[in-house]
Amino acid sequence: MSPALRRHIAQLLHRLMAMAVFPCRLVAMNALPRGFLPKLGPAKAKACLYPDGDARLLAYSAIPLWWRVLWGFLNREGPRISEAARLQVQDVDLDRGALRLEKNKTNDPRARVLQVRAHDTRSTFITVALANGRSETWVADRTGHRSSVMIQRTRRAARTFAELGLGELASLA
C-alpha cells in the first residue's frame, strides 16, 4: 500500500476507535494514541506539459482520438480525471459555453464558463494558468481547491514556465 493509503486507513481506524469511546461508550479509552498515524513521506514531483509537448501529444495519431481529446480537455479546464469521467451531456452547455461539476471530491459544486478552445493534467492546467497571470482564486474556482497549499506546489514550475515565455496551450479546435 502507498503511504497515503496506509495513513487514510489509519485515520479511519482512529476515528472508529474514537467513536467506540464516545458517543458509543463501548470502551473506556481509545487504544490508538494521538500521533500514531504513519507519515506521508516526500511529495511526488508534479509533471507539466509544455505547450509544444501538448501540441505534439494532441497531434500524435497513434494515440486514439478520444484519449487526445480527454487530455486536451483536462489540460485546459483543470478537472480531476474522476470529475471528467463523471461528466454527462447535461453538465456541458455548449450554447452558453458553460461546464457544471456538481459531484466532485470536495462536495463543492462548481460551475464556470467552459473555454471551448478547440501526465499530470491538473498540474498542467494550474501551471499554465499561473504562468500566464491567472490568480490563485481563479485557479481554485476551476479546480475545487479549498486551500492554496496544493496550488502553491506548482508555483516553481509556473515561474519557470513564465520565464521561458511558453504562453498558453494551443486551442483544441
Side-chain angles (χ1 to χ4, degrees):
M1 287 188 281
S2 72
L5 181 57
R6 284 194 310 268
R7 183 176 172 87
H8 185 68
I9 291 170
Q11 286 172 324
L12 290 173
L13 286 173
H14 190 270
R15 178 74 177 130
L16 183 63
M17 296 296 288
M19 289 173 65
V21 174
F22 184 82
C24 297
R25 301 182 203 273
L26 298 173
V27 295
M29 62 179 275
N30 190 338
L32 301 174
R34 287 197 178 275
F36 89 101
L37 293 174
K39 302 294 180 209
L40 282 176
K44 294 179 182 177
K46 302 292 184 213
C48 176
L49 286 175
Y50 292 145
D52 61 339
D54 175 76
R56 283 195 309 272
L57 174 71
L58 295 179
Y60 191 57
S61 61
I63 297 172
L65 178 61
W66 69 272
W67 272 115
R68 292 181 280 153
V69 170
L70 175 63
W71 286 331
F73 171 73
L74 294 171
N75 280 340
R76 285 155 182 79
E77 294 301 322
R80 293 175 178 87
I81 186 73
S82 60
E83 294 168 347
R86 280 194 300 265
L87 275 178
Q88 297 182 9
V89 173
Q90 62 266 26
D91 296 329
V92 181
D93 183 347
L94 294 177
D95 292 333
R96 291 173 188 79
L99 174 68
R100 186 176 54 250
L101 296 171
E102 300 264 341
K103 296 179 182 178
N104 56 65
K105 178 181 172 183
T106 59
N107 292 321
D108 184 16
R110 301 188 306 273
R112 65 173 183 267
V113 173
L114 178 64
Q115 297 176 7
V116 183
R117 295 176 295 190
H119 239 336
D120 192 329
T121 57
R122 284 173 64 80
S123 180
T124 297
F125 172 79
I126 295 167
T127 301
V128 171
L130 294 174
N132 287 287
R134 297 291 189 179
S135 71
E136 191 174 303
T137 302
W138 186 92
V139 170
D141 286 347
R142 283 149 181 81
T143 61
H145 288 107
R146 291 186 175 189
S147 75
S148 63
V149 173
M150 297 304 289
I151 295 171
Q152 291 302 322
R153 291 183 179 175
T154 64
R155 284 273 183 206
R156 181 179 301 156
R159 285 192 301 271
T160 301
F161 200 97
E163 288 172 11
L164 293 172
L166 299 173
E168 298 277 353
L169 297 174
S171 168
L172 278 178

